[in-house]
Amino acid sequence: MAHAIAAGEEDVHVIGFPGCYDNVYAIRLMLALARHPNIGAVLAVGLGCEYTQPEKLATVVRESGRPAEWFFIQQNGGTRSSIARGKETVARLRNRIRTETRRVPMALGDLTVGCECGGSDATSGLAGNPAVGAFFDRLVDAGGRAVFEETVEMIGLREVMRARAATPQAAEELGLAYDKAVHYCQSVQQYSIAPGNFAGGLTTIEEKSLGAFAKGGSRPIQGVIRVAEPPRGPGLWVLDSVPDEHFMQFGYTNPNDTEGLMDLISVGSQVILFVTGRGSVIGSPIAPLVKITGNSATFRAMEEDMDFDAGRVLSGELSLAEAGRELSALVAAVAAASPANRSGSAIVSTSSCTSTRTRPRSRQAAAHECPEAEQCV
């Protein structure tokens, strides 16, 4: 039903939970997505007999300062009338967003930026992820929040992770997150390395982990956060998205790129960086997705989908510090651009929910439009 309401509607997307049983994790995730900074309004739609109640979702969203409405399909006459009501409500909410939303000045330090990698090859750890790490150092130094995840791709780095901890508590959190990731990989009998990684020049999970960890830059790690939990303060944070042990084991899958992006968005990331060596066509609702590759051949071969060529570090065209500065300017340009930072309407349902889908207005050329990132957001 929510998909039918969203069909053909500008800046409206469906997110949500397809299950009927009481699920605290799903409710927490939907509430986080519905109150994300890039979301302008929410319509919550329910059948009428699920544990997840759209009225309660809408109430919490309204308390966050944005408009929200809800209804039950069972109390609205059925399919056609519910679709018609949903589309009328979306139009009304969209008009409120466009007439009431004000642009305000922001600096780089006001941003929360998330990062993950997928389709990695040897260049990911040599250039793609280190370029993000150089940018993350700049973001942290400016007072912003940098979040990176994939603890299943930190296998073999337990003491390396703990050595980066800002506090003893952070070191304990990192150790626990690492141990859980190892146990999870053992329980599903699979580590996060695939044939495409081998074809791209990676040899072991430990080698891949070293490259993946490079996106964390060099600043101290403040601690570990969970899905739908915003960073507890400025600085660099690790997101633990590995499923906890649960009495209902069905429904859990090996963490994947699409899930990872939504997890990063759920903690408040206004912009997402996605590093890929082999190439990817993944997209993201709610937050703009900037695709970065350390492989210049991939950048040329997938020009329609890639946004930043970090392979220039390997060719000597850029230093790593220069790549970090250029990426910083690109992120600022994406955050400042219209419609990339435009608030959008959202439909939320007990079975689905919608939100904005944004994309950078341009690729790495946007970085040159905004040489001083801190002044552009």
Side-chain angles (χ1 to χ4, degrees), residues 300-313:
R300 292 189 296 269
M302 300 190 65
E303 190 172 0
E304 296 177 358
D305 293 278
M306 298 297 108
D307 299 298
F308 189 86
D309 181 11
R312 293 171 294 157
V313 173

Side-chain angles (χ1 to χ4, degrees), residues 106-111 113 128 130-144 271 273 290 292 307-308 310 312 318-337 363-377:
M106 293 178 64
L108 189 66
D110 294 314
L111 291 179
V113 180
V132 172
F135 161 67
F136 268 1
D137 285 350
R138 293 175 62 85
L139 178 63
V140 169
D141 292 347
V271 179
L273 308 180
V290 179
I292 301 161
D307 299 298
F308 189 86
R312 293 171 294 157
L318 289 179
S319 69
L320 193 56
E322 289 170 336
R325 284 195 296 270
E326 193 172 304
L327 185 54
S328 180
L330 175 57
V331 169
V334 168
R363 296 164 48 251
Q364 66 189 44
H368 302 293
E369 300 175 12
C370 186
E372 294 298 329
E374 290 77 7
Q375 300 175 10
C376 295
V377 180

Side-chain angles (χ1 to χ4, degrees), residues 186-205:
Q186 291 171 341
S187 66
V188 300
Q189 300 180 22
Q190 180 179 343
Y191 288 90
S192 187
I193 189 164
N197 301 139
F198 296 133
L202 295 171
T203 60
T204 64
I205 182 59

Side-chain angles (χ1 to χ4, degrees), residues 102-107 341 377:
R102 297 182 299 109
R103 288 179 66 90
V104 296
M106 293 178 64
N341 73 333
V377 180

Side-chain angles (χ1 to χ4, degrees), residues 228-243:
E229 176 190 358
R232 298 186 289 273
L236 179 67
W237 298 83
V238 168
L239 170 59
D240 174 16
S241 61
V242 175

Side-chain angles (χ1 to χ4, degrees), residues 243-311:
D244 292 331
E245 291 188 4
H246 192 266
F247 71 95
M248 287 187 175
Q249 290 302 320
F250 66 85
Y252 286 118
T253 61
N254 193 36
N256 58 77
D257 295 341
T258 301
E259 176 195 27
L261 295 179
M262 296 307 294
D263 292 340
L264 287 167
I265 292 171
S266 77
V267 304
S269 300
Q270 291 130 319
V271 179
I272 304 293
L273 308 180
F274 185 80
V275 181
T276 178
R278 305 275 291 173
S280 176
V281 296
I282 195 171
S284 166
I286 302 178
L289 180 69
V290 179
K291 292 194 185 74
I292 301 161
T293 182
N295 190 326
S296 294
T298 297
F299 185 83
R300 292 189 296 269
M302 300 190 65
E303 190 172 0
E304 296 177 358
D305 293 278
M306 298 297 108
D307 299 298
F308 189 86
D309 181 11

